[in-house]
Amino acid sequence: MVVIVDYGMGNLRSVAKAVEKCGGSVAISNNPLHIEQAGRLILPGVGAFGKAMENLGKLKLVEPLKKKIEEGTPFLGICLGLQLLFEWSEEGNVAGLSIIPGKVKKFLPTPGLKIPHMGWNNIKLTPPGERQDSPLTAKIFREIPDNSYFYFVHSYYVEPDEEKIISSTTPYGIDFTSSITYKNMFACQFHPEKSSKIGLKLIQNFLGLP
Amino acid sequence: MVFLDITATIEGRNTMLNVVSKTAEQVFIPLTVGGGIRTLDDIRELLKSGADKVSINTAAVKDPSLVWEAAEKFGSQCIVVAVDGKYVSPGKWEVYINSGRTPTGIQVLDWVKEVEKAGAGEILLTSIDADGTQKGYDIELTRLVSQKVSIPVIASGGAGEPLHFYQVLTEGKADAALAASLFHYGILTIPNLKKYLQEKGVEVRV
């Protein structure tokens, strides 16, 4: 069972529908017990970082989530669900779940670039030699060509301390980190559930992880 | 994808939640829904039904604070303000509401700036003059609006052939171009249009 963590942020239903389309069975839940029993975890999310941390705290989901991730459960973080894994965000100057060393920064105003970064953009896959040798990365991006287009909506991006965990970057003024692979976790800034066929392929790959 | 019930306001109808939720089950690309939105509750219901963004037009003009409150509550990224403009004199267009039937006396170029300040995430700009003509988008209106605001502008109204898309995305400086009947009636197909634009050097997702 795939458990989509419901902490009151963003469009969980789109994520659930996409997982179902890929043949997965889904539960949307904010019950720590369900999270404990999950075979796979998805942390989605659209919205403000501080509010998200506050909700996770109120719902007493922080510890169950961390524990589950530590146990090695396949984990997919989407958008805010990527950012929350880090230590700190510029958005509201708030501490995150601190599972991955690094921070979340806002795009600097750059002439000609609109913020939020919204729309389709391509992802440049990190060549295998330059990233952590994680079998997860290869599996997640199976049959997803380099420079594929995904859908983005965000004003902040993650900056991991360890560059080796970056599994793709995307050009938007700078080449920002558009996805990371860390232990049993894959997390992306883009929205696979809104990225048409290629996004569904990625979700399918996630469901196929051992 | 944009789903608009364009006569919802004048016919006093709410946007069909059922159609939205059925669509969202099958369509895995961003879905914008508009038509007849009046309140924050309308917006909440649509987002819950699976819309990613809502498009507000008449209600935004009648009560600009709705845009501000909606952006505050749901985030700018899901608030699209639709602006229907009609040509008045060189460099001037007037905002019309109620499906382009009621003039407001408001200048398009002032209004887009105001909705940007209120927190709109995108502007869906329709030229009433060009709409339905298939003679091309209003390039000048689109260019002036795009230069005026720093949020994405989607051009709408007038597409008749691939060249029109090219023009509005380059000269018109639009971030995206919308067309409906061309695709609905099969005059153009999306893959062919994308191929054409790509060959002309426009960045598109193929």
Side-chain angles (χ1 to χ4, degrees), chain B residues 42-57:
Chain B
D42 292 343
I43 298 172
R44 186 179 298 109
E45 285 305 310
L46 282 168
L47 295 174
K48 257 173 65 185
S49 301
D52 297 291
K53 307 175 190 181
V54 295
S55 170
I56 315 172
N57 190 337

Side-chain angles (χ1 to χ4, degrees), chain A residues 11 13-14 17-18 21 46-47 114-116 118 120-122 149-151 153 192-197 200, chain B residues 21 25-30 47-53 77 121-122 149-153 175 203-205:
Chain A
N11 209 342
R13 198 160 163 262
S14 321
K17 289 291 162 203
K21 181 86 179 173
V46 175
K114 296 174 174 181
I115 301 170
M118 184 162 51
W120 299 89
N121 204 340
N122 52 359
Y149 276 84
F150 283 87
Y151 188 77
V153 186
E193 78 283 9
K194 286 289 159 190
S195 298
S196 194
K197 279 182 200 150
L200 293 177
Chain B
S21 73
E25 276 173 25
Q26 294 301 326
V27 175
F28 297 99
I29 52 172
L47 295 174
K48 257 173 65 185
S49 301
D52 297 291
K53 307 175 190 181
Q77 83 287 338
E122 270 177 281
V149 296
S150 61
I151 51 178
V153 174
D175 296 275
E203 202 192 323
V204 285
R205 178 183 65 98

Side-chain angles (χ1 to χ4, degrees), chain B residues 10-11 14 59 81 93 97 125 138 164 178 180:
Chain B
I10 47 175
E11 288 163 17
N14 285 319
V81 173
W93 288 262
I97 56 172
L125 177 68
D138 187 332
H164 296 151
L178 182 147

Side-chain angles (χ1 to χ4, degrees), chain B residues 172-193:
Chain B
K173 300 191 183 302
D175 296 275
L178 182 147
S181 43
L182 272 191
F183 299 132
H184 295 168
Y185 299 125
I187 302 165
L188 257 183
T189 68
I190 291 174
N192 284 344
L193 175 62

